[in-house]
Amino acid sequence: MAQDNGFFGQRDPTTEGSDWNALRFVVQQALNQIQTMTLVRVVAVSNAGGAEPVGTVDVQPLVNQITGDRVAVPHGVVYGLPYFRLQGGANAIILDPQVGDIGICGFANRDISSVKASKAEANPGSFRTFDFADGLYLGGVLNGTPAQYVQFNASGIAVTTPGTVVVNASAATINASTTINGNLTVSGTIGAGGKISAPSVNIAGIEFGTHKHTGVATGGSNTGGPTS
């Protein structure tokens, strides 16, 4: 940067040294108007984690504009940008952005407003190019430690949540030895093809690990076999 008439700017002593230098400066100034990708902070979200179509976010670009004399000029909020969801057909992972998230925003090379409105092939809504208004929020970066997550590592997969894990399905099969470190409540029928082993089993209020029948006379032989 060079100082010109008391102000800083992007010109330097070589800018007007030749026609090529002057033309290059003009082209560079035009390229500076093109938006490609930047970091943004989410300031509003249309969705809140429900099972609904993909929504939009309002974002604040985080890299300030700078005047010729080095004065920061924050960007305004960019409204209604579609955000990315991992989805194929009716199958999806619903993980909506939250206010305060920092993420990547990319900008289309043409006006995408008509496609956003129709969700179908359409002509560009205007002649604008590489504009903030045609941004797409692509997901989070530079964020903190999560409290709720699915973790993949060398030892396996861990699901961690401070809340409740709910599985909604017509049926579920676990092909693995299973350990439950806590209470198991069953509201339906338990069918076992093998041995059930537990320190204590309580069914309908009967504690099978310690339950005793009273008033029973001791016998001298085994009970009889089952009858058909």
Side-chain angles (χ1 to χ4, degrees), residues 38-42 60-65 75 101-103 142:
T38 193
L39 293 173
V40 297
R41 176 176 284 111
V42 176
Q60 171 71 54
L62 294 179
V63 180
N64 289 334
Q65 305 167 98
H75 288 279
D101 285 353
I102 295 175
L142 301 179

Side-chain angles (χ1 to χ4, degrees), residues 163-183:
T164 302
V165 176
V166 178
V167 178
N168 296 313
S170 58
T173 301
I174 301 175
N175 296 316
S177 298
T178 304
T179 300
I180 300 175
N181 295 318
N183 298 324

Side-chain angles (χ1 to χ4, degrees), residues 67 85 99 148 151 198:
T67 65
R85 173 187 285 169
V99 172
Q148 182 168 267
Q151 181 181 19

Side-chain angles (χ1 to χ4, degrees), residues 65-194:
Q65 305 167 98
I66 299 292
T67 65
D69 53 350
R70 308 293 198 277
V71 176
V73 180
H75 288 279
V77 174
V78 185
Y79 297 94
L81 305 187
Y83 62 81
F84 171 80
R85 173 187 285 169
L86 184 60
Q87 182 166 348
N91 308 297
I93 295 176
I94 297 178
L95 182 60
D96 295 326
Q98 295 188 13
V99 172
D101 285 353
I102 295 175
I104 299 171
C105 197
F107 304 94
N109 66 336
R110 293 292 185 271
D111 183 345
I112 63 173
S113 59
S114 296
V115 175
K116 287 166 59 177
S118 66
K119 297 186 179 179
E121 181 181 349
N123 293 333
S126 70
F127 290 116
R128 71 184 182 220
T129 59
F130 297 100
D131 195 275
F132 276 112
D134 300 308
L136 299 166
Y137 182 75
L138 304 178
V141 297
L142 301 179
N143 294 305
T145 303
Q148 182 168 267
Y149 50 87
V150 178
Q151 181 181 19
F152 295 80
N153 55 40
S155 61
I157 301 172
V159 178
T160 300
T161 176
T164 302
V165 176
V166 178
V167 178
N168 296 313
S170 58
T173 301
I174 301 175
N175 296 316
S177 298
T178 304
T179 300
I180 300 175
N181 295 318
N183 298 324
L184 173 64
T185 301
V186 179
S187 59
T189 300
I190 297 177

Side-chain angles (χ1 to χ4, degrees), residues 11-25:
R11 295 172 58 190
D12 63 36
T14 69
T15 299
E16 298 177 7
S18 68
D19 290 343
W20 162 251
N21 287 359
L23 179 60
R24 183 178 182 278
F25 178 79

